[in-house]
Amino acid sequence: MDVVDEKYADRFDGKDDRGDYALVGLYQAALDPRPNQRYWIQCPDGTFAIPPGNTFPAEIADGVNAIPQSSEDRVWRWSFDSYLKKKDLIVFKKTAKSPLQTPDRSQSSWNVYTKYYLEDRLEEGIRPRDFLDDITNDRGTADLKPLGLNDVFTFPKPVDLLTRIMTWIADPAALCVDFFAGSGTMGQAVFEINQLDGGHRRFVLVQLPEPTENQQFPTIAEITKERLRRAIRKIKKENQMFPGDLGFRVFKLDSSNIRSWDPNPENLEQSIRAHIEHIKMDRTEDDILYELLIKLGLDLCVPIEKRLIAGKTVHSIGDGVLMVCLAETITREEVEPFAQGLVVWHKELAPTGETTCIFRDSGFASDVVKTNLAAVLEQSGIRNLRSL
Ligand SMILES: C[S@@+](CC[C@H](N)C(=O)[O-])C[C@H]1O[C@@H](n2cnc3c(N)ncnc32)[C@H](O)[C@@H]1O
């Protein structure tokens, strides 16, 4: 189903085999004169019409052009080339109020229009035309009520306001970004409109952990997350069959997980030793994993699976496109069963592209262990090995 503003769709009141269309005058008074846009058009009764002005084509025939000589020589919206090619879109209407003139400078009894199809507009995206006066701000608070959050955030935007704005953008896979997410209305609106039209829009919400006076939600960012969770629960309850995605991941901005190389020139040996483990101590595997995704340019929403192989946690990202093990130790005894297990899982995943495997360099008990692992993986076609 295409989503379209009802008021906007009502304007397309004509219908033919191709669909709903609106008529737009081919002559528009506001157009600036252009060389190819002042020509005769032959009307259904055989008479000719042209926009107002003083310069006329040398010959009275359909599509014959005159170059405007002053701003008084008005023009059609289309060049004569377009007119001759797209005559099937032209509609004539008899009128006593025509702005057009005839070869003898009298008022034409016709006006000329072009058909403007709703379908084409939907493809291009819809330009908002009206001042929105049917969605009032108090609806934003009313939207938070069924989620039990109406007392925790002042002046949230109404969900309908955002779904309406989304209908102006034709792309059903649009990425909707709100840098000032507040109560997270945009996220709920994306879930709801996807549910309505089967789209798969996504959202990025950004919110500072701005302190609140609410003990339950000490920052605005906490409200944003909770609103999304409750909106998801509500949608799932109301529409248990909804097959679309109703999830989100939360990231907090931080410095890199990898310590920068900042040696002490007075004691290089100590600096080198201190850098053997260059991943910051307080970081989790997830932290490192997501930094890898960013560095490799992978989508932060790719599916991630975890499996224990020979006692080591391995992550498969994007169905095996990337396989990461950040184990802190892989010994000589462990490496063989570990490598074999990795190969088995890789075969199961059967990734479409080449796989990159990433390990923690300091995790290998020795270079031999690392070489052995590389050899087993290579036999199975995994040649892209990297260590952190
Ligand atoms: C008016 S609220 C947005 C309301 C939201 N549309 C809703 O429906 O709930 C604006 C938000 O932007 C955040 N904000 C304000 N200044 C900011 C800045 N300079 N950078 C990032 N966020 C900011 C505030 O924390 C506040 O939550």
Side-chain angles (χ1 to χ4, degrees):
M1 179 185 102
D2 290 314
V3 178
V4 61
D5 185 324
E6 262 175 43
K7 261 196 196 165
Y8 184 79
D10 286 350
R11 298 172 52 244
F12 292 77
D13 52 1
K15 200 173 184 61
D16 64 14
D17 293 349
R18 209 183 136 198
D20 297 338
Y21 64 81
L23 290 180
V24 184
L26 186 56
Y27 164 62
Q28 301 278 334
L31 289 171
D32 285 332
R34 296 258 178 86
N36 300 337
Q37 289 172 214
R38 184 169 167 78
Y39 46 89
W40 288 119
I41 286 184
Q42 188 164 25
C43 303
D45 61 358
T47 61
F48 290 86
I50 202 164
N54 307 314
T55 310
F56 293 87
E59 191 191 339
I60 304 173
D62 194 44
V64 177
N65 190 58
I67 296 178
Q69 301 299 313
S70 76
S71 59
E72 286 181 11
D73 289 333
R74 314 306 302 169
V75 292
W76 303 111
R77 260 191 307 117
W78 288 357
S79 69
F80 59 85
D81 233 24
S82 300
Y83 163 68
L84 293 171
K85 277 189 200 137
K86 299 196 283 189
K87 275 191 176 180
D88 55 319
L89 296 178
I90 298 283
V91 172
F92 294 92
K93 282 196 174 184
K94 248 195 150 138
T95 170
K97 291 185 189 156
S98 175
L100 308 176
Q101 51 182 339
T102 62
D104 64 10
R105 321 294 191 252
S106 62
Q107 184 186 23
S108 169
S109 46
W110 297 93
N111 202 352
V112 186
Y113 300 86
T114 61
K115 288 182 184 175
Y116 187 73
Y117 287 92
L118 177 59
E119 180 188 280
D120 296 340
R121 300 284 78 75
L122 286 174
E123 259 173 38
E124 286 170 12
I126 293 162
R127 216 170 328 146
R129 294 188 64 88
D130 294 324
F131 178 73
L132 296 182
D133 57 1
D134 59 330
I135 304 175
T136 48
N137 255 340
D138 52 340
R139 296 235 319 250
T141 304
D143 289 338
L144 285 181
K145 218 166 182 177
L147 305 178
L149 292 171
N150 46 313
D151 290 332
V152 304
F153 195 87
T154 44
F155 307 116
K157 299 283 171 291
V159 176
D160 281 356
L161 173 66
L162 297 172
T163 50
R164 174 83 59 87
I165 292 170
M166 285 176 211
T167 62
W168 297 335
I169 299 150
D171 184 0
L175 180 60
C176 307
V177 182
D178 187 348
F179 281 112
F180 306 97
S183 68
T185 313
M186 167 75 94
Q188 181 170 348
V190 166
F191 291 140
E192 290 196 358
I193 193 169
N194 281 345
Q195 189 195 10
L196 211 70
D197 70 358
H200 36 283
R201 295 166 194 80
R202 302 194 297 168
F203 59 80
V204 175
L205 304 184
V206 182
Q207 180 55 52
L208 290 172
E210 192 178 312
T212 67
E213 284 171 10
N214 187 310
Q215 286 189 342
Q216 199 186 354
F217 305 111
T219 68
I220 294 186
E222 293 302 322
I223 299 174
T224 321
K225 291 185 278 181
E226 188 56 23
R227 197 262 178 86
L228 294 176
R229 289 187 200 108
R230 294 189 188 187
I232 291 171
R233 280 205 289 273
K234 179 171 169 279
I235 294 171
K236 281 188 173 161
K237 207 164 143 195
E238 288 168 359
N239 184 356
Q240 292 175 5
M241 304 302 281
F242 176 57
D245 191 349
L246 285 174
F248 64 98
R249 287 181 184 171
V250 180
F251 299 97
K252 289 180 188 153
L253 199 61
D254 211 323
S255 57
S256 170
N257 298 291
I258 297 168
R259 277 171 32 219
S260 54
W261 171 239
D262 182 20
N264 172 6
E266 305 299 320
N267 193 345
L268 267 181
E269 187 185 337
Q270 191 213 26
S271 296
I272 291 170
R273 286 189 187 286
H275 213 78
I276 291 174
E277 181 50 273
H278 53 277
I279 293 173
K280 291 179 188 165
M281 301 291 280
D282 57 341
R283 303 303 170 95
T284 65
E285 285 206 359
D286 275 351
D287 293 338
I288 302 164
L289 212 57
Y290 281 100
E291 182 169 350
L292 281 174
L293 294 195
I294 293 172
K295 289 198 162 143
L296 293 170
L298 293 171
D299 191 323
L300 289 176
C301 292
V302 286
I304 299 182
E305 282 177 84
K306 226 194 271 194
R307 201 180 259 199
L308 211 59
I309 298 178
K312 316 283 166 202
T313 303
V314 180
H315 307 263
S316 152
I317 292 130
D319 298 320
V321 170
L322 182 65
M323 296 182 86
V324 181
C325 174
L326 299 169
E328 288 179 11
T329 53
I330 302 180
T331 63
R332 207 182 184 123
E333 296 71 38
E334 287 167 337
V335 72
E336 181 71 27
F338 172 69
Q340 296 300 350
L342 205 63
V343 166
V344 169
W345 195 21
H346 180 256
K347 280 207 177 106
E348 270 175 42
L349 292 164
T352 38
E354 188 143 355
T355 295
T356 301
C357 277
I358 300 186
F359 300 94
R360 190 193 288 256
D361 205 43
S362 60
F364 294 111
S366 67
D367 285 352
V368 178
V369 172
K370 191 172 168 181
T371 316
N372 285 352
L373 178 69
V376 177
L377 296 184
E378 189 165 358
Q379 278 169 14
S380 295
I382 308 172
R383 282 175 209 91
N384 260 340
L385 232 63
R386 295 200 207 168
S387 42
L388 276 181

